[in-house]
Structure formats: structure tokens, C-alpha cells
Amino acid sequence: MSSVIDGQWRRLDPKTIAAAAVLVLAPLVPTAGIMFLSDAKPGTLLVTALIWGGIAVLISGYTAADWWLTWYRITEERFELRHGVLTRNHRWIPRERIRSVDLTADPSHRLFRVTTVKVGTGGQASDASELKLDAISRHHAESLRQELLFGSSSTSDTAPYREPATEPAIAAGTAAGTAAGSTSGSTAASAGIGETTLARLNPAWFRFSALTVSFMLIVWGAIASAVGSFKELLANFGVFDSIAHAVLASSLWLVIGATAAIALVVGVLGAIVLSVEMWWGFRLTRERGDTLRVKRGLLTTRSVSLEERRLRGVELAEPLLLRWARGARLHAVATGLNQKQEEHQPDNKTLLPPAPRAEAHRVATEALRERESPFRGELRRHPRAALRRRITWALVSAVPFIAAAVVAAVFGWLPVAATVAVGVVTVAVAVGFALDAYRNLGHEITDRYLIARSGTGIRRTVALQREGIIGWRINRTVFQRRSDLLTIGATTAAGNSVYEVHDVSTEAGLRLAEEAVPGLLAPFLQRG
């Protein structure tokens, strides 16, 4: 294959057209099977097949037109893309601004050995900071990735990189003048070529997925949607009638217990299956000495790259059940993670799937190039007033449940003893969560990091580089002012933009800000 930087215009892989047709026609197989089982008339089957076939022809035709009109090329200075069927676009990215090249291949792409390539500048503002090739051959995609990330040989920076306040937008149009080049240096590695494996999947980690409630919710939602879509078929087979007879022949508590047990088992098994699809083949590597790469996926494969100079820290996420099992997830706190994209694909920032907490500490140490995990040390405790606030809010949140039980008792729907039990259990659970939330509060300042921890449903501990903090945001509610508390947030160009230390005393919060970034907050306090 000729060099990818020869400046010649290239088309996408023509197999993309076939992949689009397969993606459209794939649902026809189970649909036809369900219709056959439900004794659908031959005419109905024929009409359905014709409709699906027509849709496939239309989409394949549009894909073919898009393929014919899409061209891209790579020169020594920039990566260019021309595309659009109804509206023509000519966009480009200066190569020195390229910060990520991510590869994704869904099952239809893998069938035809093609891959979608997303080239990004690390900008957070909008989708204008990203160009996408959908799709090119797998081998060419990998060569393209290597060339765009590591092919340039200009001098790389050794000083810590600070993201500019705003990212320049990608130049658009066919004007002769292009966007000015970045002065931050090339992405070429200076610490050697080759690849170092930092972490790889251990199949035993899938047991932690069984404790991931978000996965269970996805599974239950998918099952509910499937039941709603195929309710006529299920009714024809008498499924609903059988369930109704079983419920009427059993006691209420037996039905509740059996339903909960079945939902739990299905949720756990579904969560494990979903996790296998997402994280099979997971591998975290360091390429060329300065780029982290995550590869994962069973049916849909993904490859996400993160330039280390964009890394501003890491976040340890411990959902309640996962925390009880001493498990955790590890996320990157980095510039250039598009907030809109992150909402739809939050796992793009994940450096480690649900795994033992000790492994998360080890990977954090490796990713940050530290001698020990920044999460290992003791954190400063918060004042007792923070505990009182949490207990108060917990009791307030328990009132609706207790009120509902009392109303049920008044109308005779619930025995008095059961009402009392509901009240006691509700208060105990609420206070328990409040105590746990208080125990999880903490912060610390180390030589390089601001450490902040909070949360009970999901306990999050962030290690944010002090040099990445660009400002402070202070919040004080009426109730916090009465207790001499405040919430102080460190603002940064990375991750969630603000990382907060909750309910710290006013004196300690201001001292924290001055200690973390000396002189940054002081001028504003003097003006006040």
C-alpha cells in the first residue's frame, strides 16, 4: 500500500455499502421468525420483506452516494475531508493539532473487515473538533492511526502541557488560509517506540459486573421493551394467562419474593453478559512512551487513544455494591473529552472496568507515572456540622415514605405494627446512608494533587493535578452559612470541569485553595 501521507485524495472502502445493507437487513431475520411463530399470513410476511428490502435499498443507495462523494487525504501539514450528499463540506485539521485517533468496528463492519476512524483535536466545545471516516479497511485504519499520532517527527514538549482557554475550531471551507498551527509541539513520542501493557482483562473481574446496578437497569429496561414489542406473540402462546393463574394460586408474599428473585437473577446474568460484550479483550497500553490506549469489545470493537499530556488526573468510582465487594472503576480526568460525547459514551474515559480496588490503585499509579497510588493516603476529615446536614436531609427524605405508610394504616390497608416497622426501617436506612455519606467525605493536598472524595450511592475519589487547576468556585447555601460551611470547587479544562470539596469549614476551604494553588484565590478575597 502506498504511503498514507502522499497527498492523494482517497475514497472510503466500498465494502461500507454492503456493511450498511447488512446492518439494515439483520433485524429482518428475528422479525420474520417471530411472525412465523405467531402464525402470520404469507401475505403479511411478503409485505414485511418488501418493506425491509425497500428500506435496505434506499439506505444502501444513500450510502453509495455518500461513498462516491466522500474523499480524504493526508499531507505533511493537515488531514482533509470532503463529504456530503445534500450539503457539501470541506473540513480539515492541522496535523500538529491532532490529539486522538479512535477506531470502532460494529459487527457489520467486522464482517467486511472495515473500521470507523474518528480523528480529534482534543477540543471540548463542539463536534467541530472531530472528523470521521466511516469506514476504511482495518489495516489502513491502523496505519492511519499510527501515522497521525506518531508519524510527525517534530520536537515534542517535555514541559507540562496546559490546555488553552478555548480550542481553535477546525477550519472549514475551501479558502486558502488555514487555521494557525499549534505551538504545543508534536504528538511524536520521545521516550522510545514500542508498547507497554499496563493492564489486561482478567475474566474473574466479570464477577464485579454482577454488582453493577446500572448494567442491571439496562437489562431490565431491554426486557421490558421486548415484552412490550412482542406482547401479542406472548399472548398467543398463553404466557400472560399462565402467569396470571400462577399469581392467583399463590400468596402475595410468595409472588413478591419470586418476582424479586427472578428479577435479581436475570439482572445479574444480563449485567455479566453486557459487561462481557463491552470489555472482552480489554487491554490498556502505553504507546511510544506518551500515549495511553484502551482496546476492548466482543461484538463491537473499540480503540481509544489518550495523549498523556492531556491527562490531568484520575477518578476512582465505587458504586455502593461494588464498594462492598472491594471493587472499583478507574476513569481518566483529561482535556478534550467532549462533554456531549461523554454523556452518550461515558466508557470512553474509562481506564479500567470494574475490577479489584487494589488493581485500580495499581493502574492509577502506572497511568500517572507515580511511585504509589495517590488514593492510598489518609484524608482530612470534615467538621461534624457536615454530618448534621446529612442526617437532617436523610430524615427529610424519609418523611414521604413514612407518610405513605401512615395513610395506608388510616385506610386499613396496612396493620399498625407494619406501619411502625416501615417507619423504623425507613429512618434506620436514611440515617445509615447519612453516616456513610459523612464517612466518605474527605480531602487532602499532596505535592502534585488535590484529592477529593464524596458520595454514598457512588463514592468518587478524584486525584486532580494541582497544575491543572485554573480557578475556584465557592458555593454557600443559607444552611451552610448557618453552620460556617462551604463547598469549594476546583475548575479545570479537563473531565467534569469542576471537582468539588463538599461541606468543608470556611477557614479550611479557603486554606485548601491557597495551599493547592498559591495566590490564585487571594486577590479575589482581598477585593471582597
Side-chain angles (χ1 to χ4, degrees):
M1 183 181 66
S2 59
S3 172
V4 294
I5 59 170
D6 56 10
Q8 297 181 3
W9 288 98
R10 290 185 170 85
R11 281 198 174 105
L12 304 178
D13 195 301
K15 293 192 292 292
T16 303
I17 304 171
V22 169
L23 186 63
V24 175
L25 292 173
L28 179 61
V29 176
T31 301
I34 292 171
M35 294 180 68
F36 179 79
L37 292 175
S38 59
D39 296 328
K41 297 180 180 179
T44 303
L45 291 173
L46 179 60
V47 170
T48 302
L50 290 175
I51 292 175
W52 277 102
I55 294 174
V57 169
L58 290 176
I59 292 180
S60 298
Y62 182 86
T63 304
D66 187 59
W67 169 81
W68 181 262
L69 296 172
T70 299
W71 298 83
Y72 70 96
R73 73 172 177 177
I74 303 172
T75 67
E76 294 288 350
E77 295 80 23
R78 61 189 185 181
F79 171 70
E80 296 184 64
L81 175 65
R82 292 178 178 174
H83 67 103
V85 177
L86 301 178
T87 302
R88 298 291 293 158
N89 294 290
H90 182 194
R91 304 166 59 198
W92 62 81
I93 300 176
R95 288 189 59 192
E96 57 196 4
R97 291 200 177 278
I98 293 175
R99 299 290 178 261
S100 65
V101 181
D102 300 334
L103 311 180
T104 305
D106 59 35
S108 64
H109 282 161
R110 295 182 67 186
L111 180 64
F112 294 97
R113 302 179 67 83
V114 294
T115 298
T116 298
V117 180
K118 293 181 180 180
V119 181
T121 64
Q124 289 184 294
S126 67
D127 293 337
S129 61
E130 181 180 89
L131 297 182
K132 183 171 74 172
L133 303 179
D134 187 11
I136 60 178
S137 68
R138 185 185 307 170
H139 175 70
H140 189 194
E142 185 60 37
S143 299
L144 187 67
R145 176 186 175 277
Q146 293 291 329
E147 178 60 39
L148 292 178
L149 287 180
F150 310 116
S152 180
S153 57
S154 59
T155 305
S156 89
D157 287 344
T158 56
Y161 173 75
R162 186 178 292 274
E163 193 77 358
T166 57
E167 279 288 338
I170 293 178
T174 56
T178 62
S182 169
T183 59
S184 61
S186 163
T187 61
S190 59
I193 57 178
E195 186 176 89
T196 303
T197 299
L198 304 184
R200 63 171 67 244
L201 179 71
N202 182 342
W205 295 351
F206 287 129
R207 72 182 186 273
F208 292 103
S209 300
L211 303 175
T212 306
V213 176
S214 59
F215 285 180
M216 294 185 190
L217 293 176
I218 293 174
V219 172
W220 292 332
I223 292 175
S225 177
V227 170
S229 300
F230 303 129
K231 59 182 179 181
E232 293 184 3
L233 175 63
L234 296 175
N236 290 340
F237 279 93
V239 174
F240 295 135
D241 291 336
S242 299
I243 294 176
H245 289 314
V247 169
L248 294 175
S250 306
S251 66
L252 176 61
W253 294 111
L254 178 60
V255 171
I256 294 175
T259 302
I262 292 173
L264 180 61
V265 171
V266 171
V268 167
L269 295 179
I272 293 175
V273 171
L274 183 60
S275 183
V276 169
E277 198 288 319
M278 292 178 60
W279 297 108
W280 187 260
F282 165 81
R283 190 178 175 210
L284 172 65
T285 59
R286 175 176 281 121
E287 294 182 312
R288 308 294 180 97
D290 68 351
T291 300
L292 299 177
R293 184 184 190 185
V294 174
K295 297 178 68 176
R296 62 184 178 89
L298 178 63
L299 300 178
T300 298
T301 59
R302 299 172 178 86
S303 169
V304 179
S305 300
L306 174 62
E307 200 176 25
E308 285 190 65
R309 62 178 174 177
R310 292 169 47 201
L311 195 63
R312 296 293 178 268
V314 291
E315 181 186 65
L316 196 69
E318 302 170 275
L320 184 62
L321 297 181
L322 199 60
R323 188 165 77 243
W324 288 348
R326 297 182 179 275
R329 297 194 301 262
L330 187 69
H331 303 307
V333 177
T335 61
L337 290 177
N338 188 300
Q339 284 295 109
K340 180 179 178 181
Q341 182 185 38
E342 193 172 316
E343 291 174 2
H344 292 87
Q345 296 178 311
D347 294 308
N348 278 349
K349 65 180 180 180
T350 302
L351 296 178
L352 189 73
R357 188 182 303 154
E359 178 68 8
H361 283 294
R362 186 193 67 79
V363 173
T365 304
E366 293 283 353
L368 296 174
R369 299 178 182 269
E370 299 291 344
R371 293 185 177 180
E372 62 179 3
S373 171
F375 304 119
R376 292 287 189 186
E378 292 291 328
L379 302 183
R380 304 178 196 178
R381 303 307 300 268
H382 289 207
R384 302 287 291 183
L387 174 60
R388 291 196 297 271
R389 274 175 48 80
R390 277 150 182 77
I391 290 178
T392 300
W393 284 111
L395 294 177
V396 169
S397 65
V399 169
F401 298 95
I402 297 175
V406 170
V407 170
V410 169
F411 283 95
W413 300 335
L414 197 66
V416 175
T419 303
V420 174
V422 168
V424 171
V425 170
T426 301
V427 170
V429 170
V431 173
F433 275 110
L435 292 172
D436 183 66
Y438 175 71
R439 283 196 300 266
N440 291 336
L441 283 178
H443 69 277
E444 185 55 270
I445 301 292
T446 68
D447 291 340
R448 293 192 59 201
Y449 300 97
L450 163 65
I451 314 295
R453 187 178 69 192
S454 64
T456 181
I458 300 179
R459 184 173 72 182
R460 300 184 185 277
T461 310
V462 63
L464 180 65
Q465 292 177 358
R466 291 166 57 183
E467 63 187 14
I469 298 174
I470 59 177
W472 296 99
R473 189 170 73 182
I474 298 175
N475 294 319
R476 299 188 74 192
T477 66
V478 173
F479 303 105
Q480 284 179 313
R481 287 197 294 270
R482 290 170 59 90
S483 302
D484 192 31
L485 299 175
L486 59 80
T487 294
I488 185 165
T491 62
T492 179
N496 296 333
S497 300
V498 180
Y499 290 92
E500 294 181 326
V501 179
H502 295 273
D503 285 341
V504 67
S505 69
T506 302
E507 179 184 358
L510 299 180
R511 187 170 61 245
L512 176 152
E514 179 62 23
E515 186 179 351
V517 187
L520 182 60
L521 186 61
F524 300 94
L525 296 177
Q526 291 170 2
R527 292 175 185 175

